[in-house]
Amino acid sequence: MRFRVLGPVQVRTGAGWATVRALQQRQLLAVLLARAGGAVTVERLAAELWGERRPPTAVATIRVYVMHLRRMLGDGPARTLVTRDRGYQMAVGDADLDSLVFDRLCREGQRSLAGGEPVAAVASLSRALALWQGAAMGDALVPGTPIVAAEAARLEQRRLGALERYFDAQLHLGQHAGVVEDLAEAVARHPLRERLREQLMLALSRCGRRAEALEAYRLGRALLVADLGLEPGPGLRGLHLAILGGHGQ
């Protein structure tokens, strides 16, 4: 891989992984990586970086930023940062950017799980989740740009989906005791995520911790009602009733 966005935005150089120090240059790189494979016009880049406070020197400043980034990337005959369609494009392959690798591994894991191959699903999804080094593009989000913020939100949702499928595969393999603490931690971080809470309840119930599973439901329902004004969905309610009836296995 040559670029990371699953955490701080980083570039692999001859000396290893490096961060673009200047915030706006880092944001420019993040915008281009968020649209990897597609060109972003100079006008759009200016709007992303400055919004309504665009300076009269915006176009010239962007060119300077691009020059610095090209020096960092190595501006040889096969450029990575190319000029295209009145703007710029990051010409990256599927293996060059960690978010593209992550998406590929997630698709592999999902196919394996749907095909009844939980061992293969665990292998793919654990590799996908191991790519994360922190919040997606976290060091390019303050202040954020619209494109970067949208891509970061998409990636975070994909991360949660991958985590849920990983736990599904582990539970399918009977590894409830091994994942119960990880599930408890995930629920604490995402208390309104019903699927994670359902998985935690199932793991607790299978570990013989029925009272804790019921308490997890009670706390989750209270949060959903208080924060969203919603009752739990059918999956969570159905598992709650099954555990009450002694069938939550």
Side-chain angles (χ1 to χ4, degrees), residues 149-172:
E151 177 65 359
R154 182 193 76 84
L155 288 169
E156 291 291 349
Q157 287 302 307
R158 290 280 287 167
R159 181 186 194 179
L160 279 173
L163 188 63
E164 288 169 347
R165 285 188 287 275
Y166 169 80
F167 287 134
D168 276 339
Q170 292 281 32
L171 290 170
H172 188 85

Side-chain angles (χ1 to χ4, degrees), residues 194 197-198 201 217 220 224 232-241:
E194 291 192 48
R197 190 171 295 273
E198 186 179 336
M201 289 169 58
Y217 176 83
L224 287 166
L236 207 53
R237 292 200 312 271
L239 180 58
H240 176 241
L241 291 174

Side-chain angles (χ1 to χ4, degrees), residues 64-222:
V64 172
Y65 290 169
V66 168
M67 178 185 68
H68 287 304
L69 287 174
R70 280 176 170 162
R71 285 176 181 169
M72 185 176 190
L73 297 173
D75 198 8
R79 286 182 173 177
T80 301
L81 177 46
V82 298
T83 302
R84 185 159 297 162
D85 299 332
R86 303 190 311 279
Y88 300 98
Q89 175 182 342
M90 293 300 297
V92 296
D94 290 344
D96 291 333
L97 178 59
D98 61 354
S99 61
L100 298 179
V101 177
F102 171 75
D103 280 338
R104 174 179 58 78
L105 289 169
C106 285
R107 290 192 297 270
E108 290 177 4
Q110 190 167 2
R111 284 195 300 268
S112 295
L113 192 58
E117 301 177 76
V119 173
V122 166
S124 294
L125 293 167
S126 60
R127 286 174 60 202
L129 293 166
L131 292 171
W132 285 76
Q133 306 291 318
M137 302 187 193
D139 61 346
L141 285 169
V142 183
T145 81
I147 286 177
V148 172
E151 177 65 359
R154 182 193 76 84
L155 288 169
E156 291 291 349
Q157 287 302 307
R158 290 280 287 167
R159 181 186 194 179
L160 279 173
L163 188 63
E164 288 169 347
R165 285 188 287 275
Y166 169 80
F167 287 134
D168 276 339
Q170 292 281 32
L171 290 170
H172 188 85
L173 291 169
Q175 301 297 319
H176 40 272
V179 299
V180 68
E181 298 306 322
D182 289 338
L183 274 165
E185 183 180 337
V187 168
R189 290 197 308 268
H190 307 282
L192 298 177
R193 191 85 175 186
E194 291 192 48
R195 181 58 186 150
L196 286 173
R197 190 171 295 273
E198 186 179 336
Q199 291 170 320
L200 173 61
M201 289 169 58
L202 184 59
L204 287 168
S205 178
R206 288 179 175 177
C207 289
R209 297 160 66 175
R210 180 173 175 270
E212 292 175 69
L214 295 173
E215 178 64 8
Y217 176 83
R218 186 193 68 77
L219 289 173
R221 179 183 179 278

